[in-house]
Amino acid sequence: MKIVDQVLNGDKRATAKLISMIEDDERGASEALAAIFPHTGRAHTVGFTGPPGVGKSSLINRLVREFRERGKRIGVVAVDPTSPFTGGAVLGDRIRMADTGTDPGVFIRSMATRGHSGGLALATFDAVKVLDAFGMDLVFVETVGAGQSEVEIASRAHTTVVVQQPQSGDSVQALKAGILEIGDIHVVNKADLGGADAMVSNLDFMLEERMGWRPPVLQTSALEGKGIKELADAIVKHYRYLKAGPMWRRREADRARKELYESMRRLLAETFSEDAAGETLEGEVAAIVSRKTDPRTAAKKLLRDLKLGR
Amino acid sequence: MAKKIRVLIAKPGLDGHDRGAKVVARALRDAGMEVIYTGLRQSPEDIVEAAIQEDVDAIGLSSLSGAHMALFPDVVKLLKKRGAGDIVVVGGGIIPDEDVAKLKRAGVRAVFGPGTPLAEIVEYFRSSGT
Ligand SMILES: Nc1nc2c(ncn2[C@@H]2O[C@H](COP(=O)(O)OP(=O)(O)OP(=O)(O)O)[C@@H](O)[C@H]2O)c(=O)[nH]1
Ligand SMILES: [Mg+2]
């Protein structure tokens, strides 16, 4: 496909267009994804999560510059929520990422969740693949930190950075359950505001080594540019850890498994939303309502008789 | 999924007021569009680069400082140079009538003054995305 060749040749406009095609689920999107897939798997994907306003975008902005100085090419996918009422969104992460300007080695894409739960959009990790194929060494994903989104990003990125800010009072109690488990790297940003030391030692106290990796706890100030080199070093160190042992492959397999299930679910939904198949489905629905069959039996029957289209 | 209209709202130039730009951004969001807001003091080069990466259908430029005569046509020119002349450029802000004609000749598709009803602006962006 032409658009795929253009992406592989480093054409930014084509890369942006392909991401839109996937987001809008346009004709040709799945073929294009299939065509780029062999060219992916190289980029180190780093997810950033944490409550609104802790400084994720500002940190990414600093890290992009740091990694550019180290000669790396960087992609960013920044996700913000879609309004459930209007379907629209204001995507504002770029405001804090303005430093990179027209640097050809950087590609930043803002993305709305479009009703997908978990703080990510359905197309987020397909966009990551496109940026990977485009030739990015690292791809940063910024997600909206709310509830289960942390878990979602952690099951898909190679490295998950959990960003927090100093909290007053008993910060140990304030830590959201689950946040400790998913962070490969923990960051206390806004250290310039004070109170970061206590927060760091509280976090540090609660973290343990698992599978040969002890999540570090770092202090940063994205505002003053402090602690950025150390954070970049930690990201590189985690990459080396993943690559040195079985973990890289294991994370790739976790992701592949997730994407496989997701694709199957989508294919099923698409198949049954098409007219002819819809009738079959409605037939079973009626049979369940009149107690001629039960949902599980009907599901098995439908799957057995299934002729997947497209 | 239907094609979403994506719009970049930017505020080139040096004056620091973006209230108008934000009002428009929110109105477009409420009309179901995805609005990429890039903040203040962006150069035409930055704006065009962002518009390309974000694959927007249109760019809304706001200016209150009189810098529009230099900056708006630059955005149009740079877009053409990057092979993205199909992206619609719209201006807004305090712009004298005699400048409006010049801007349109320079390829700015529409110019909205301070009193323009939001619904009119929203409708214009909607038609630019289809
Ligand atoms: N004092 C201080 N302020 C910071 C620091 N980092 C970011 N900020 C400010 O915090 C606010 C939010 O920063 P963002 O980078 O947009 O935070 P975010 O986590 O990306 O926010 P969302 O995307 O809305 O969730 C901005 O006003 C920043 O200037 C920091 O290290 N110190
Ligand atoms: Mg942000």
Side-chain angles (χ1 to χ4, degrees), chain A:
Chain A
M1 283 173 93
K2 190 173 164 227
I3 192 162
V4 171
D5 295 335
Q6 287 169 325
V7 170
L8 298 177
N9 285 327
D11 182 334
K12 272 193 172 172
R13 185 117 212 260
T15 300
K17 289 255 173 233
L18 180 53
I19 294 174
S20 301
M21 264 175 82
I22 296 164
E23 276 196 286
D24 294 334
D25 199 15
E26 274 173 43
R27 192 177 291 279
S30 33
E31 288 81 357
L33 270 172
I36 62 159
F37 195 73
H39 304 277
T40 63
R42 222 181 41 84
H44 178 200
T45 314
V46 185
F48 291 78
T49 188
V54 288
K56 299 178 293 294
S57 300
S58 308
L59 272 176
I60 288 174
N61 183 50
R62 294 280 188 179
L63 280 172
V64 166
R65 274 201 299 181
E66 175 65 29
F67 278 109
R68 285 300 289 146
E69 276 167 30
R70 300 181 187 196
K72 302 292 182 196
R73 305 180 71 212
I74 321 284
V76 179
V77 182
V79 186
D80 276 320
T82 293
S83 155
F85 305 107
T86 67
V90 173
L91 311 172
D93 293 314
R94 268 198 113 93
I95 301 172
R96 309 275 166 222
M97 299 183 190
D99 282 0
T100 47
T102 58
D103 184 340
V106 181
F107 192 112
I108 301 171
R109 179 66 174 231
S110 313
M111 188 175 272
T113 54
R114 298 196 183 177
H116 193 252
S117 61
L120 296 171
L122 201 55
T124 301
F125 275 82
D126 288 335
V128 169
K129 288 197 192 87
V130 174
L131 293 176
D132 184 349
F134 177 70
M136 294 315 195
D137 301 301
L138 288 118
V139 181
F140 296 150
V141 178
E142 176 180 340
T143 155
V144 224
Q148 54 148 168
S149 68
E150 289 90 353
V151 183
E152 175 98 26
I153 184 74
S155 69
R156 292 185 178 247
H158 296 122
T159 302
T160 301
V161 179
V162 173
V163 187
Q164 306 192 62
Q165 63 184 55
Q167 290 164 7
S168 53
D170 194 348
S171 43
V172 178
Q173 276 180 359
L175 291 177
K176 222 190 292 161
I179 203 93
L180 290 172
E181 286 75 33
I182 60 128
D184 300 304
I185 297 166
H186 289 267
V187 173
V188 179
N189 187 41
K190 305 198 184 182
D192 54 284
L193 296 181
D197 286 337
M199 179 90 177
V200 167
S201 43
N202 277 334
L203 272 169
D204 206 52
F205 174 73
M206 297 178 79
L207 291 165
E208 275 157 25
E209 181 180 317
R210 59 195 143 93
M211 291 184 271
W213 176 259
R214 169 73 163 79
V217 186
L218 305 171
Q219 280 189 39
T220 59
S221 168
L223 192 73
E224 296 174 344
K226 294 209 174 109
I228 305 301
K229 282 199 164 54
E230 291 77 1
L231 177 52
D233 288 343
I235 289 170
V236 173
K237 200 173 163 200
H238 189 250
Y239 175 81
R240 295 204 177 116
Y241 152 78
L242 291 175
K243 281 285 189 181
M247 289 311 288
W248 180 272
R249 263 202 90 86
R250 204 177 294 173
R251 290 206 181 197
E252 287 279 304
D254 286 347
R255 183 156 91 192
R257 192 171 301 113
K258 239 184 132 86
E259 290 181 355
L260 184 58
Y261 272 121
E262 217 164 65
S263 299
M264 290 198 288
R265 218 173 291 137
R266 266 180 92 167
L267 263 179
L268 270 181
E270 276 166 20
T271 307
F272 284 112
S273 69
E274 279 160 21
D275 281 338
E279 267 170 42
T280 329
L281 189 81
E282 285 310 312
E284 294 300 327
V285 169
I288 295 167
V289 172
S290 57
R291 299 298 186 275
K292 289 197 184 88
T293 184
D294 66 284
R296 238 190 120 86
T297 309
K300 277 191 192 160
K301 175 170 177 282
L302 283 179
L303 283 181
R304 200 179 334 106
D305 302 345
L306 197 63
K307 287 180 202 67
L308 282 173
R310 291 202 281 165

Side-chain angles (χ1 to χ4, degrees), chain A residues 12-13 16-17 20 23-25 86-92 94-95 98 101-102 106-110 112 114, chain B residues 1-4 6 29-30 32-38 42 45-46 49-50 52-55 83-84 86-87:
Chain A
K12 272 193 172 172
R13 185 117 212 260
K17 289 255 173 233
S20 301
E23 276 196 286
D24 294 334
D25 199 15
T86 67
V90 173
L91 311 172
R94 268 198 113 93
I95 301 172
T102 58
V106 181
F107 192 112
I108 301 171
R109 179 66 174 231
S110 313
R114 298 196 183 177
Chain B
M1 216 174 286
K3 192 194 171 315
K4 276 271 176 201
R6 286 169 67 87
R29 174 199 61 192
D30 292 343
M33 298 176 210
E34 290 179 356
V35 185
I36 294 94
Y37 190 71
T38 60
Q42 296 266 291
E45 286 80 7
D46 292 342
E49 181 68 32
I52 286 173
Q53 292 175 10
E54 300 288 356
D55 188 32
D86 55 310
I87 297 176

Side-chain angles (χ1 to χ4, degrees), chain B residues 81-96:
Chain B
K81 215 171 104 190
R82 298 281 304 267
D86 55 310
I87 297 176
V88 172
V89 178
V90 174
I94 301 167
I95 296 169

